[in-house]
Amino acid sequence: MRRLVLCPLLFTLALLAPAGTAQDGKKAQKFCPVMTQDEIDPEASASVTYMGVKVYLCCDTCVARWKRDPAAYADPKLVPGLAGKTLPPRDIEQVYCPVYPDKRVSSKDPSATYKGVKVYFWNDLARKRFEADPARYAKAELLPQLPK
């Protein structure tokens, strides 16, 4: 009789207990650090190891971008496992593409000169869209390098 009561009770407690994370008790990563609005699934997403931390990325494109310039994408807000680590500085002030503002950029991405400063883009299509209508995309909150 005791066994019949304990088994369902233990099963119920196991369901209610908080699940462990893949990042050893730290806040779990929820979004890709490159395409910042794309959710990741630790069970299915691609990953790389950076500074001893498993970083999940939404797709192979993001894996390639991360490997090309990890300093551009390593952000503890998006990858909580990096919190407290001394990260290399970004080599550009701009963080996001002005055309696709959910995508982070790197100094290795396509660029154009606008108002005397270099502006970086996610890809060539974004660069072309910007060049066709810069007033639409040139927002100070996304382009801190613009003259004040």
Side-chain angles (χ1 to χ4, degrees):
M1 177 71 176
R2 189 180 271 180
R3 181 179 256 172
L4 291 175
V5 173
L6 282 178
C7 286
L9 180 62
L10 290 174
F11 179 75
T12 302
L13 288 174
L15 288 176
L16 294 175
T21 67
Q23 297 184 9
D24 300 328
K26 295 182 180 176
K27 188 176 170 188
Q29 180 185 340
K30 293 183 172 57
F31 296 95
C32 177
V34 179
M35 293 185 189
T36 62
Q37 289 185 356
D38 287 5
E39 289 188 46
I40 53 95
D41 175 4
E43 301 294 322
S45 296
S47 67
V48 296
T49 301
Y50 182 70
M51 300 181 106
V53 175
K54 194 167 196 174
V55 178
Y56 296 98
L57 299 136
C58 66
C59 64
D60 291 339
T61 297
C62 290
V63 169
R65 283 177 177 262
W66 178 281
K67 287 180 177 180
R68 181 182 67 177
D69 190 4
Y73 308 108
D75 183 347
K77 292 178 201 138
L78 294 165
V79 185
L82 295 175
K85 297 199 180 279
T86 302
L87 301 172
R90 288 179 56 86
D91 58 355
I92 58 173
E93 188 178 10
Q94 180 185 341
V95 177
Y96 294 97
C97 175
V99 178
Y100 304 120
D102 62 321
K103 295 173 173 46
R104 292 174 68 107
V105 293
S106 156
S107 62
K108 295 172 175 56
D109 289 332
S111 65
T113 301
Y114 175 71
K115 292 191 175 183
V117 297
K118 206 172 214 186
V119 176
Y120 296 91
F121 303 94
W122 173 254
N123 58 21
D124 280 321
L125 178 60
R127 181 185 51 77
K128 288 175 185 172
R129 286 183 177 175
F130 181 89
E131 290 174 336
D133 189 4
R136 177 179 177 188
Y137 300 109
K139 296 181 175 49
E141 63 271 10
L142 292 174
L143 301 174
Q145 71 272 37
L146 288 179
K148 307 297 182 239

